[in-house]
Amino acid sequence: MSKNLLSVSEIAERKGVTAQWVRQQIRNGVLRATRVGKNWVVTESDFDSFNHNIEARGLFESVSPKDLTEKRDFVALSFFSGAMGLDLGLEKAGIQFRLACENDKTCQQTIRLNRQNMGLIGDIWNYSAQQIKEIADIKGDIDLIVGGPPCQAFSTAGARKGFDDQRGNVFLHYIDLLLELKPKYIVIENVRGLLSAPLKHCPWENRQGDWKPDFLEKPGGALLYIIEQLRAGGYSVSFNLYNAANFGVPQIRERVVIICSRDGRKVPYLMPTNSNDPKFGLAPWETLRQAIDGVQGCDHTDFPEKRLKYFRMLHEGQYWKNLPEDIQPEAMGKSFLLGGGKTGFYRRLAWDKPSCTLVTSPTMPATDICHPTEDRPLSIQEYKRIQMFPDDWTLAGNIVKQYKQVGNAVPVGLGYAIGKAILAHARGESVEPPADFPFSRYKNTDDVSWEANTRRVMGLEPDENLLDHADVDSVTQRMHKKEN
């Protein structure tokens, strides 16, 4: 091969891995390559960049030929795929996807740009379980189905209508579909608000005086209903609230991850790789500086000039409370008198800490995400690095839609940790995280303590089944119907 071009076999020899492993990285978009005839070739500069990503960001581990044989047949389907952050992480662990399901047209374009040979369907309501298997070309068992149903219905930042919201209804339809397809493993990802979402939402204006929630309005009912359905379908259920920073992601981002196994054996909690507490002997959290070092390109929206003048008064790691006291009312306007810490206003990131949670727009007043030293929001390229997307992952749509896709994504590093946990469980390995590891900043978010507390709040006995309540059945039957 030319001195400037490397073949797959040459790369495999240099890295001490199999050619199959190298081809997998090319298919995943991690290693940039060009097809010449029937063969792939890689430039020396792209190979050097690939090596830098492995060493600097720690995304991959050595894979033996035996592991490749075991992982190659582990086939998955992806629902609510978005820009495929979760899927990319699972792929890096060795899981292959046959199909993506995504209703958003721009996200569909992104999937097509990066995964031309993958099956792709749209609205989940339009396909039966049998049609999905046919499109994915799966004759027998499905190894894994993953998906994060729309989370706005459960978000603490919104109206939180839960299953009263059409997006909540999609969640229930998804559960029905999972139980019909019956994969070996299920992964459901969602926002922290799912832990406290009720089965039935009571509008804030109705919570006056001595209001007390009735049985269906008590917090936690929605998730309890979901896990009881999954258990009734024969699955073990394991979940926790995970801070992505504990898994090598340069970002404080907390998400509920539910992992279910058809064989009834509970999947252990995810194995952390990083911690901000040195007593666990893990690597420290990745920082913003490490994440965006050497990033190429700087496509971004802009802050309005009337707000930029306040950003110019702030240094890295500061926010509105670091403005001069006499300036704060002027800068905040009506929001100054609101309660809460309002930590998202005029927020400059710090170089040597993880990023805050990326949102769908870095220029909204209550969720500003400003570069540490430059007077601009984070760029799309920086967003991708923080979510651990490959630099060459192509995003469809205009810049506003690109921010939304990356901001809504599951960090690739968190998906990688999920994939490793599932594959270890499938191989019969027992991989347990350190005792008493704080997966998030909140307590009682693991399935055991959460369920015990939720049953107590709802007035249920430890072995009493929520599904046995007639009122619950009538409400959920209504909610299962798709609204016109």
Side-chain angles (χ1 to χ4, degrees):
M1 189 65 64
S2 165
K3 65 179 181 178
N4 294 320
L5 294 174
L6 299 171
S7 68
V8 168
S9 60
E10 287 171 335
I11 293 173
E13 184 176 355
R14 288 194 187 188
K15 298 296 296 178
V17 297
T18 65
Q20 171 65 26
W21 185 86
V22 177
R23 294 189 190 96
Q24 181 71 41
Q25 308 317 308
I26 293 171
R27 284 195 295 271
N28 290 349
V30 179
L31 174 59
R32 188 194 298 270
T34 302
R35 185 179 286 279
V36 177
K38 295 183 179 180
N39 301 313
W40 290 103
V41 295
V42 177
T43 66
E44 286 280 3
S45 61
D46 284 334
F47 179 65
D48 290 342
S49 177
F50 171 66
N51 276 332
H52 173 75
N53 283 338
I54 292 175
E55 295 169 3
R57 299 170 68 190
L59 284 179
F60 311 105
E61 298 174 345
S62 296
V63 181
S64 70
K66 179 177 183 291
D67 287 336
L68 281 167
T69 301
E70 291 174 346
K71 293 178 181 179
R72 188 163 53 243
D73 297 326
F74 207 94
V75 176
L77 309 182
S78 168
F79 289 82
F80 313 102
S81 307
M84 298 192 73
L86 174 59
D87 310 320
L88 282 169
L90 290 162
E91 284 182 348
K92 288 181 175 67
I95 294 170
Q96 297 184 8
F97 282 88
R98 291 281 185 88
L99 176 137
C101 174
E102 175 54 54
N103 196 34
D104 182 271
K105 300 300 183 185
T106 307
C107 290
Q108 288 180 0
Q109 294 173 25
T110 292
I111 294 169
R112 277 283 175 246
L113 287 170
N114 296 279
R115 292 289 182 268
Q116 296 180 5
N117 297 323
M118 180 183 290
L120 177 62
I121 60 176
D123 192 342
I124 190 174
W125 292 97
N126 296 336
Y127 300 87
S128 68
Q130 184 58 38
Q131 287 174 320
I132 288 169
K133 291 189 72 171
E134 290 173 359
I135 294 169
D137 192 25
I138 294 178
K139 302 291 193 294
D141 263 352
I142 301 169
D143 292 303
L144 170 67
I145 295 181
V146 304
C151 59
Q152 296 94 325
F154 306 107
S155 174
T156 56
R160 303 198 70 195
K161 292 186 177 181
F163 288 151
D164 286 329
D165 190 305
Q166 173 58 30
R167 292 165 296 195
N169 288 353
V170 171
F171 202 133
L172 293 175
H173 177 67
Y174 179 51
I175 298 298
D176 290 341
L177 190 61
L178 289 172
L179 295 177
E180 187 174 357
L181 288 168
K182 203 74 174 176
K184 294 178 182 177
Y185 291 92
I186 293 169
V187 171
I188 301 172
E189 176 273 340
N190 220 278
V191 293
R192 176 172 59 89
L194 179 61
L195 295 173
S196 56
L199 272 164
K200 181 180 178 183
H201 173 70
C202 178
W204 288 106
E205 57 269 22
N206 295 343
R207 305 183 188 189
Q208 305 297 326
D210 58 353
W211 174 85
K212 292 183 180 180
D214 65 25
F215 178 74
L216 296 177
E217 295 168 339
K218 290 183 178 180
L223 180 54
L224 188 58
Y225 176 76
I226 290 166
I227 64 176
E228 287 194 356
Q229 275 199 313
L230 291 166
R231 286 172 181 161
Y235 286 90
S236 68
V237 177
S238 170
F239 68 82
N240 216 321
L241 179 66
Y242 295 105
N243 182 355
N246 292 321
F247 304 94
V249 179
Q251 178 185 181
I252 303 296
R253 190 182 188 98
E254 293 175 316
R255 289 295 185 270
V256 175
V257 176
I258 305 169
I259 305 180
C260 309
S261 174
R262 195 180 69 188
D263 69 4
R265 295 181 299 126
K266 187 174 177 180
V267 179
Y269 302 131
L270 304 183
M271 177 64 72
T273 56
N274 302 70
S275 175
N276 66 338
D277 188 339
K279 78 176 185 181
F280 292 102
L282 299 173
W285 282 349
E286 293 286 315
T287 68
L288 178 68
R289 188 190 303 276
Q290 292 170 303
I292 66 176
D293 178 51
V295 68
Q296 300 295 311
C298 189
D299 299 314
H300 61 84
T301 51
D302 293 300
F303 294 119
E305 182 61 35
K306 65 180 181 179
R307 286 163 54 210
L308 265 179
K309 71 174 185 177
Y310 304 116
F311 275 115
R312 294 185 181 113
M313 300 178 187
L314 298 169
H315 301 294
E316 65 159 298
Q318 295 186 330
Y319 71 125
W320 72 272
K321 281 193 174 181
N322 298 110
L323 292 168
E325 290 188 5
D326 60 327
I327 297 294
Q328 291 176 12
E330 171 190 319
M332 295 292 287
K334 295 179 180 179
S335 299
F336 183 74
L337 300 176
L338 296 177
K342 302 181 282 288
T343 55
F345 285 85
Y346 299 104
R347 175 174 48 188
R348 274 195 186 274
L349 298 185
W351 278 120
D352 295 320
K353 294 181 180 180
S355 166
C356 64
T357 301
L358 295 189
V359 292
T360 55
S361 170
T363 59
M364 297 300 289
T367 55
D368 288 319
I369 306 180
C370 186
H371 188 276
T373 54
E374 298 180 21
D375 297 330
R376 62 168 177 82
L378 290 178
S379 69
I380 286 293
Q381 290 82 1
E382 290 161 345
Y383 250 53
K384 286 169 64 178
R385 281 285 186 92
I386 292 167
Q387 289 280 56
M388 300 178 78
F389 279 86
D391 286 347
D392 59 357
W393 189 257
T394 305
L395 296 169
N398 59 33
I399 193 166
V400 173
K401 292 181 178 179
Q402 290 181 24
Y403 274 123
K404 183 178 180 181
Q405 290 176 76
V406 182
N408 276 333
V410 176
V412 175
L414 182 57
Y416 182 51
I418 296 168
K420 289 196 297 182
I422 291 171
L423 290 172
H425 187 270
R427 293 191 295 265
E429 299 172 4
S430 179
V431 182
E432 297 284 349
D436 302 319
F437 187 84
F439 289 104
S440 77
R441 55 186 165 157
Y442 297 94
K443 295 182 179 180
N444 299 322
T445 58
D446 63 279
D447 53 280
V448 177
S449 58
W450 176 89
E451 184 170 354
N453 185 63
T454 299
R455 288 186 177 279
R456 179 184 59 79
V457 169
M458 297 193 73
L460 295 170
E461 295 297 325
D463 58 350
E464 189 175 1
N465 199 323
L466 181 68
L467 300 179
D468 291 338
H469 289 251
D471 287 343
V472 174
D473 287 342
S474 64
V475 170
T476 52
Q477 285 172 12
R478 173 178 58 82
M479 293 189 295
H480 266 76
K481 295 179 181 178
K482 183 180 180 183
E483 297 173 1
N484 295 323

